[in-house]
Amino acid sequence: QEQVVESGGGLVEAGGSLRLSCVASPRSLSIADMAWSRQAPGKEREFVARINWISGSTNYADDVKGRFTISKDNAKNTVFLDMKSLKPRGTAIYYCNAEPLFSRGIWGQGTQVTVSS
């Protein structure tokens, strides 16, 4: 079954850092892009960052540019999100999704990130 699983969420103080990970399976899955989005309480889900699996080209939401970094490990079908200078408004469930070459997009269950003030 094609799936992605997020991990690394937790509680962090404002200004702190956190690394999220997302593993796509099966390992033979051909990936075009992987991305992160987030949903804060009472709000719509919003795009955070995306990375092309082959070129490494990245895109970031304006709110996180310069603070968040998306990276990947192709051999492990894993994408990372390194978050620095976290702000309370960054509190949300962070979701990972994969865009396979030969099937529909895959969404994970999310991992909770809570930034205290």
Side-chain angles (χ1 to χ4, degrees):
Q1 181 67 34
E2 296 179 342
Q3 63 179 347
V4 295
V5 180
E6 305 97 332
S7 63
L11 176 65
V12 63
E13 294 185 351
S17 301
L18 205 62
R19 165 174 267 206
L20 305 182
S21 300
C22 174
V23 181
S25 63
R27 296 290 292 272
S28 60
L29 186 67
S30 295
I31 300 171
D33 299 273
M34 290 188 73
W36 291 94
S37 61
R38 65 187 180 186
Q39 186 169 24
K43 296 185 177 181
E44 298 291 327
R45 187 177 301 189
E46 64 178 353
F47 165 79
V48 174
R50 174 180 287 107
I51 187 166
N52 181 273
W53 215 244
I54 298 175
S55 72
S57 178
T58 59
N59 288 285
Y60 295 94
D62 289 343
D63 185 54
V64 307
K65 285 189 298 184
R67 298 188 297 114
F68 289 13
T69 302
I70 187 170
S71 60
K72 61 185 176 68
D73 184 336
N74 295 57
K76 296 182 178 180
N77 275 19
T78 300
V79 64
F80 305 96
L81 185 67
D82 289 293
M83 305 183 292
K84 298 181 179 180
S85 300
L86 282 161
K87 303 175 181 180
R89 60 191 176 96
T91 295
I93 300 175
Y94 284 70
Y95 296 92
C96 170
N97 73 280
E99 298 287 345
L101 287 172
F102 308 114
S103 59
R104 66 183 180 88
I106 307 166
W107 289 85
Q109 296 296 310
T111 185
Q112 177 71 49
V113 173
T114 302
V115 185
S116 63
S117 59

